[in-house]
Amino acid sequence: MKDLFFRRHRRLRSSANMRALVRETYLHKEDLIYPIFIIDGENVKSEIGSMPGIYQLSLDNLMEEMTEVASLGIKSVILFGVPFEHDKDEHGSGAFHHNGLVQEATRLIKKHFPEILVIADTCLCEYTSHGHCGVVEGGTILNDASLDLLAKTAISQAEAGADIIAPSNMMDGFVAAIRAGLDEAGYEDIPIMSYAVKYASAFYGPFRDAANGAPQFGDRKTYQMDPANRLEAFREAESDVEEGADFLIVKPALSYLDIMRDVKNNFNLPVVAYNVSGEYSMIKAAANNGWIDEKAIVMETLLSMKRAGADLIITYASKDVARWLDEEGKEV
């Protein structure tokens, strides 16, 4: 045995304090972005069946939710609008209406919680009668005709007080069109958090229950990315950087950690992981059946995203994570 040489890695794992001393990756409350679904109507707080603990909220119930968010120390929220079906039309005009759901929710939050960053999801699908993210003609999603509507939506959200615009539509040129529209309207200082790398994923199922936004025909594979492709992510992200994006979202997160690391290694912008609805719901379902330790699995999952290069994480587990971080002393 005296002649053996080998490295003793366990020396740095000998106690909790030793492990903390050499820990490489941390999760902080400031990393969390909490999604909120704003629905038409009054006195609505409707739990989403496929997303336990997540609710569709009418504007009159938003302040209760925001009070909890603020008390937990969560600094950022992202807003999604869920209009009545009869208010939807072919061009998604509710998305850019002055008194649209996201616009009104933004005004309310900025009035009562001005310190919280409001990120506005900028898309048309929740507002279109056909459920697609752009203008449809003859069964085809028209790219260029959609850009003006997306820019109008972004401008109306900025006018309402949104701190960050987050376009999720995946039309070619959407960042360029929105950046030009914001600048022309005098919102040069409003950043764009682009859904730069967004795959056509089966993990979005519960979100479509939450947003009532499933397409009425076909699918979104002509504009969202093929899950088999890696190099395409470089092209998409590079285009958005050139067009003026300030953040780059990778969506989904768990099955695309390799892509997240690629984006982080190749672009000098903050990277945002979207821990999507299907990822959240699978953990919730397993936890509710007593099959897993929910806290341990969620924390390990989010740390994997940070380790893969995420600077920020959009996650439905934000409130739970904030509580767990308090238990652990603000970081883990």
Side-chain angles (χ1 to χ4, degrees), residues 5 9 29 61 120 131 180 184 203 268 271 309 316:
F5 172 78
H9 302 290
K29 287 186 180 183
N61 280 323
E184 186 175 339
F203 285 97
N268 295 318
V271 174
Y316 301 97

Side-chain angles (χ1 to χ4, degrees), residues 2-279:
K2 289 182 179 180
D3 294 330
L4 291 178
F5 172 78
F6 53 90
R7 297 180 183 275
R8 294 190 180 274
H9 302 290
R10 291 179 59 192
R11 290 171 180 157
L12 302 185
R13 304 174 193 151
S14 59
S15 68
N17 283 345
M18 182 68 76
R19 292 189 293 274
L21 184 68
V22 298
R23 186 162 294 145
E24 301 172 24
T25 306
Y26 285 89
L27 179 66
H28 306 276
K29 287 186 180 183
E30 289 79 6
D31 302 331
L32 304 173
I33 300 170
Y34 182 54
I36 298 178
F37 297 95
I38 310 300
I39 194 167
D40 252 326
E42 295 181 358
N43 196 29
V44 179
K45 184 178 181 180
S46 177
E47 188 172 26
I48 299 155
S50 56
M51 298 177 69
I54 304 299
Y55 296 82
Q56 295 172 328
L57 299 167
S58 53
L59 286 167
D60 53 349
N61 280 323
L62 178 57
M63 286 302 96
E64 179 183 359
E65 179 82 340
M66 289 305 305
T67 298
E68 183 180 18
V69 166
S71 71
L72 289 169
I74 296 169
K75 310 296 185 184
S76 307
V77 297
I78 183 167
L79 303 181
F80 299 90
V82 188
F84 289 131
E85 286 296 323
H86 60 73
D87 287 335
K88 299 181 180 184
D89 58 37
E90 290 186 359
H91 292 88
S93 58
F96 47 85
H97 194 284
H98 177 77
N99 299 116
L101 288 170
V102 168
Q103 289 81 351
E104 288 296 297
T106 298
R107 293 186 186 99
L108 198 57
I109 293 171
K110 297 309 292 185
K111 177 180 178 181
H112 296 281
F113 300 93
E115 73 285 359
I116 290 182
L117 290 174
V118 173
I119 304 165
D121 179 77
T122 306
C123 198
L124 305 175
C125 59
E126 292 101 329
Y127 303 89
T128 55
S129 53
H130 46 72
H132 279 285
C133 302
V135 176
V136 173
E137 187 175 294
T140 299
I141 295 85
L142 302 182
N143 192 91
D144 295 7
S146 303
L147 298 180
D148 286 344
L149 301 183
L150 294 166
K152 286 177 65 175
T153 300
I155 294 166
S156 72
Q157 292 168 338
E159 288 174 344
D163 298 288
I164 300 173
I165 298 301
S168 59
N169 55 89
M170 288 298 285
M171 297 293 115
D172 291 337
F174 69 95
V175 173
I178 289 171
R179 184 73 272 159
L182 290 172
D183 291 355
E184 186 175 339
Y187 298 107
E188 300 92 342
D189 294 333
I190 299 295
I192 296 174
M193 182 181 286
S194 171
Y195 286 67
V197 180
K198 182 178 179 181
Y199 285 89
S201 173
F203 285 97
Y204 303 152
F207 176 91
R208 289 170 185 170
D209 293 339
N212 298 344
Q216 298 301 303
F217 68 90
D219 52 42
R220 293 175 176 150
K221 293 181 180 179
T222 66
Y223 44 103
Q224 295 179 0
M225 293 168 52
D226 186 337
N229 292 352
R230 173 172 171 257
L231 296 180
E232 185 179 8
F234 288 87
R235 299 195 296 271
E236 288 282 357
E238 184 175 40
S239 293
D240 288 3
V241 172
E242 291 172 350
E243 293 171 17
D246 300 281
F247 304 78
L248 301 174
I249 296 175
V250 177
K251 180 183 181 183
L254 275 180
S255 293
Y256 300 88
L257 296 178
D258 58 325
I259 306 300
M260 203 175 301
R261 173 47 60 186
D262 286 339
V263 171
K264 184 66 174 179
N265 287 345
N266 285 275
F267 302 99
N268 295 318
L269 292 178
V271 174
V272 185
Y274 199 139
N275 178 211
V276 299
S277 59
E279 297 166 353

